[in-house]
Amino acid sequence: MLYVVGHKNPDTDSICSAIVLAHFLDAYPARQGNLNPETEFVLRKFGVMEPELITSAEGKEIVLVDHSEKSQSLDDLEKGKLVGVIDHHKIGTTTSEPILYYAKPVGSTATVIAELYFKNAMDLIGGKNKELTPDLAGLLLSAIISDTVLFKSPTTTDLDKEMAKKLAEIANIEDIDAFGMEILKAKSVVGKMKPEEIITMDYKDFEFNGKKVGIGQVEVIDVSEVEDKKEEIYKLLEEKLKNEGYDLILFLITDIMKEGSEALVVGNKEVFEKAFNVKVEGNSVFLEGVMSRKKQVVPPLEKAYNE
Amino acid sequence: MLYVVGHKNPDTDSICSAIVLAHFLDAYPARQGNLNPETEFVLRKFGVMEPELITSAEGKEIVLVDHSEKSQSLDDLEKGKLVGVIDHHKIGTTTSEPILYYAKPVGSTATVIAELYFKNAMDLIGGKNKELTPDLAGLLLSAIISDTVLFKSPTTTDLDKEMAKKLAEIANIEDIDAFGMEILKAKSVVGKMKPEEIITMDYKDFEFNGKKVGIGQVEVIDVSEVEDKKEEIYKLLEEKLKNEGYDLILFLITDIMKEGSEALVVGNKEVFEKAFNVKVEGNSVFLEGVMSRKKQVVPPLEKAYNE
């Protein structure tokens, strides 16, 4: 029983990459949590079923997509058999045995999968060189758009744009930009969400030098959507910090149009200020140009913890 | 300046994979130490120059082949820029930024590189789809033979055999078995070597649960070659253990014909006995069927340390 599964608090890349890779590996796609509104919109748009919810690796062979960190993975991963990782993040784990590991520094895991498909090279990772149907091409395209914030994120590479174009042809999507704005708007439904839902929508745990750090992110087209909820979000983060043993929690409100993020900082402000060379006045600070947790937030923070 | 470099105490796979991958990446091949007699034989046979010796990563972009563990890599790796890893071992490191990482559980790194070549997929890892000349094909073939002990090691996969056949055609080698015995004999020159040379020929450091562990290996066709040197090897290992802060040193004398290894055990014998469920009488014990450090020695040992 081979399962393909993305990270906790799944985003569109984790869900869509799991579905499409499972197709090529003759495996079961799975998810570790509820779909966010953007992903729901994407699956409905292309008429694809949501993957099975799994909470245990026991008795399963597992391929991880879109993550490798233990803290973002199934809690009992060691009870299953990890056979592979397909990812676009930093290398987040070591293993005790050789496995398949394929990661590239590109904008999304969907990009990595699309490239293998177009290179006819699915067999390199143990898959079959089958057809990519229009609905599955649409999922990969959506995942690229979501993870690169319609190619605006600094994580975006030429390969992401090239794959998006080729996928759009198969998916019969003529105007990538218009389609992309639809997706980003679906993501930007925070106006209707409760503060506790906003926090968990895209939230990841890390361990830096033995300290527990949480980093959440929400991307908005219009900052006013969250303006009146910030105070309550901050209170909830303070409670979370206390109750769950965090050293630091960051919550990034990323303004897609302004191309930067307001960071709410709870806990160890010193290490945050050192990492970003800023001064936090009150509860938050605006980080100009910062849109990517993976590329612009995690590396300086990890470095600051290790100094 | 992009360099491709294998592990410390380089073996034939580390040297040949670095040379061939550097060809496809338009990079410089490098090595971290002296060639062993087998690798010297292989390079002479195919008329290929030895790679440049490097001891520092400073100012260099680095692609690692055939390893990822920090303990086997350049001491100041963090002073350079690690851009990629191509390997066939367990995932041995985490990173703080996304990089290219491609590892497969097959018999050699050369197998991974050969497959990318025959799939015309060198561009997946940032290389060019150039020609593989007969001399370079000969190097990859030699590396596969060396790492799989002529396909006898339990790490051997069908892909190793398939790649070896295809490489032999390009390299104009008609009888792989006869050629393989030539290589293994060149490896088996321990009869002429000093004990201190035998120890360092293929020696790797590991860290298990915070403890420093060294595992050396020598492969012989005829055990009598080392019989009269075992006592002195043991004494040298005891000194090494004391002087360099090891918790345990294993030295495997692998008998290619008997398909097993005599393990000299210095230091923490309890953890060794637990790992292999054996009793060490005197200084050593014969491990039936054990030929692969990577697949049969490291995993149970790491497990025993973590229990």
Side-chain angles (χ1 to χ4, degrees):
Chain A
M1 301 282 266
L2 181 65
Y3 284 79
V4 183
V5 66
H7 54 72
K8 285 178 177 160
N9 291 314
D11 59 6
T12 299
D13 194 23
S14 263
I15 296 292
C16 294
S17 288
I19 292 172
V20 178
L21 189 60
H23 165 73
F24 288 107
L25 298 181
D26 285 336
Y28 297 99
R31 63 187 163 91
Q32 286 198 67
N34 293 333
L35 302 186
N36 70 33
E38 183 198 75
T39 312
E40 272 183 7
F41 166 81
V42 168
L43 293 191
R44 210 163 38 233
K45 168 116 190 156
F46 294 102
V48 176
M49 258 180 53
E50 66 175 6
E52 181 187 340
L53 180 73
I54 63 172
T55 54
S56 167
E58 208 167 343
K60 299 183 180 81
E61 292 194 316
I62 304 271
V63 171
L64 303 180
V65 287
D66 201 35
H67 75 294
S68 67
E69 318 244 349
K70 288 204 170 83
S71 56
Q72 296 167 17
S73 214
L74 290 158
D75 292 330
D76 65 352
L77 189 59
E78 73 289 348
K79 288 193 184 158
K81 185 170 163 51
L82 177 65
V83 295
V85 176
I86 308 292
D87 194 17
H88 74 125
H89 296 87
K90 69 197 186 79
I91 313 305
T93 192
T94 58
T95 64
S96 55
E97 288 186 56
I99 61 166
L100 169 77
Y101 200 112
Y102 183 41
K104 287 185 77 154
V106 293
S108 72
T109 301
T111 306
V112 178
I113 295 170
E115 191 188 24
L116 286 170
Y117 168 73
F118 288 115
K119 284 288 304 175
N120 221 24
M122 279 293 167
D123 50 335
L124 283 181
I125 59 159
K128 288 184 186 151
N129 291 316
K130 302 189 205 178
E131 199 197 346
L132 185 69
T133 50
D135 54 342
L136 295 186
L139 296 194
L140 290 181
L141 172 62
S142 304
I144 296 176
I145 288 170
S146 168
D147 253 34
T148 65
V149 196
L150 195 46
F151 316 118
K152 280 192 175 182
S153 163
T155 57
T156 310
T157 65
D158 288 343
L159 189 67
D160 301 312
K161 295 178 194 166
E162 187 193 331
M163 293 298 112
K165 257 183 222 161
K166 288 182 157 189
L167 290 166
E169 275 177 38
I170 298 178
N172 298 311
I173 285 168
E174 279 169 30
D175 188 339
I176 294 180
D177 283 335
F179 174 65
M181 284 309 288
E182 265 188 77
I183 291 186
L184 297 185
K185 268 184 213 152
K187 186 181 233 163
S188 208
V189 292
V190 288
K192 293 167 219 126
M193 290 169 76
K194 289 179 202 153
E196 53 267 39
E197 290 171 334
I198 295 174
I199 290 171
T200 54
M201 196 173 143
D202 178 9
Y203 184 90
K204 288 182 184 175
D205 281 336
F206 296 87
E207 199 185 290
F208 298 141
N209 208 0
K211 297 282 171 58
K212 188 176 175 188
V213 175
I215 311 177
Q217 185 173 25
V218 64
E219 285 149 343
V220 291
I221 295 178
D222 182 354
V223 186
S224 69
E225 289 185 61
V226 277
E227 203 52 46
D228 58 334
K229 289 173 186 160
K230 276 198 312 207
E231 206 171 316
E232 203 176 330
I233 288 173
Y234 196 84
K235 268 188 205 149
L236 288 169
L237 294 177
E238 280 182 315
E239 278 172 34
K240 197 173 171 68
L241 182 94
K242 224 184 301 168
N243 297 335
E244 300 175 26
Y246 283 98
D247 185 58
L248 169 69
I249 297 182
L250 291 186
F251 192 77
L252 307 166
I253 301 166
T254 300
D255 187 322
I256 296 170
M257 292 304 152
K258 267 170 86 180
E259 302 194 11
S261 298
E262 181 174 0
L264 307 188
V265 187
V266 183
N268 190 342
K269 282 185 189 164
E270 294 69 33
V271 74
F272 174 85
E273 291 181 334
K274 191 170 70 169
F276 295 93
N277 198 22
V278 292
K279 194 86 202 144
V280 181
E281 313 274 2
N283 297 334
S284 72
V285 62
F286 189 79
L287 302 172
E288 197 70 45
V290 170
M291 300 183 75
S292 165
R293 172 171 48 198
K294 177 166 82 97
K295 198 154 184 168
Q296 298 174 295
V297 178
V298 169
L301 207 52
E302 181 162 29
K303 191 160 166 264
Y305 268 102
N306 286 324
E307 261 165 18
Chain B
M1 303 280 267
L2 181 64
Y3 284 80
V4 183
V5 66
H7 54 72
K8 285 180 176 156
N9 293 312
D11 60 5
T12 299
D13 193 23
S14 263
I15 296 292
C16 295
S17 289
I19 293 172
V20 178
L21 188 61
H23 166 73
F24 288 106
L25 297 182
D26 285 337
Y28 297 100
R31 63 187 164 91
Q32 286 199 68
N34 293 331
L35 301 186
N36 70 34
E38 182 197 77
T39 312
E40 273 183 7
F41 166 82
V42 167
L43 292 191
R44 211 165 34 237
K45 168 117 191 157
F46 294 102
V48 176
M49 258 180 50
E50 66 176 7
E52 180 187 339
L53 180 72
I54 62 171
T55 54
S56 168
E58 206 166 345
K60 299 182 180 81
E61 292 194 317
I62 303 271
V63 171
L64 303 180
V65 286
D66 201 33
H67 74 295
S68 67
E69 318 244 350
K70 287 205 169 84
S71 57
Q72 298 167 16
S73 212
L74 291 158
D75 291 331
D76 66 350
L77 189 59
E78 72 290 348
K79 287 191 183 157
K81 186 170 162 52
L82 177 65
V83 295
V85 175
I86 308 292
D87 194 17
H88 74 124
H89 296 87
K90 69 197 184 80
I91 313 307
T93 192
T94 58
T95 65
S96 55
E97 287 185 58
I99 62 166
L100 170 77
Y101 201 111
Y102 182 41
K104 285 184 78 153
V106 293
S108 73
T109 301
T111 307
V112 178
I113 295 170
E115 191 188 25
L116 285 170
Y117 168 73
F118 288 114
K119 281 290 303 176
N120 221 26
M122 278 294 168
D123 50 335
L124 282 181
I125 59 159
K128 288 184 187 151
N129 291 316
K130 300 190 207 179
E131 198 198 346
L132 185 69
T133 51
D135 55 342
L136 296 185
L139 296 194
L140 290 182
L141 173 61
S142 304
I144 296 176
I145 289 170
S146 168
D147 253 34
T148 64
V149 195
L150 195 47
F151 315 118
K152 280 193 176 184
S153 163
T155 57
T156 311
T157 65
D158 288 343
L159 189 67
D160 301 312
K161 296 177 195 168
E162 186 194 332
M163 293 299 112
K165 257 184 222 160
K166 288 182 157 189
L167 290 165
E169 274 177 37
I170 299 177
N172 298 311
I173 285 168
E174 278 169 30
D175 187 337
I176 294 181
D177 283 335
F179 174 64
M181 284 309 287
E182 265 188 76
I183 291 186
L184 296 186
K185 269 183 212 152
K187 185 181 234 163
S188 206
V189 292
V190 288
K192 293 168 220 125
M193 291 168 77
K194 289 179 203 154
E196 52 268 38
E197 291 172 333
I198 294 174
I199 291 171
T200 54
M201 197 173 143
D202 179 9
Y203 184 92
K204 289 182 183 173
D205 281 335
F206 296 86
E207 201 184 289
F208 298 141
N209 207 359
K211 298 282 171 58
K212 188 175 175 188
V213 175
I215 311 178
Q217 184 173 27
V218 63
E219 284 148 343
V220 292
I221 294 177
D222 182 354
V223 186
S224 70
E225 288 186 61
V226 279
E227 202 53 45
D228 59 334
K229 288 173 187 160
K230 276 197 313 204
E231 207 170 316
E232 205 176 330
I233 288 174
Y234 197 84
K235 268 188 205 149
L236 290 169
L237 295 177
E238 280 180 316
E239 279 172 35
K240 197 172 171 69
L241 182 94
K242 223 184 303 166
N243 297 335
E244 300 175 26
Y246 283 97
D247 184 58
L248 169 70
I249 298 183
L250 291 186
F251 192 75
L252 307 165
I253 302 166
T254 300
D255 188 322
I256 295 171
M257 291 304 151
K258 266 170 85 181
E259 302 195 9
S261 299
E262 181 174 359
L264 307 187
V265 187
V266 183
N268 190 342
K269 282 184 190 165
E270 293 69 33
V271 74
F272 173 85
E273 291 182 334
K274 190 171 70 170
F276 295 94
N277 198 21
V278 292
K279 194 86 203 144
V280 181
E281 312 274 2
N283 297 334
S284 73
V285 63
F286 189 79
L287 302 172
E288 196 70 45
V290 170
M291 300 183 75
S292 164
R293 172 170 48 198
K294 177 166 80 96
K295 199 152 182 169
Q296 298 173 294
V297 179
V298 168
L301 208 53
E302 182 162 30
K303 192 160 164 264
Y305 268 102
N306 286 325
E307 263 164 17

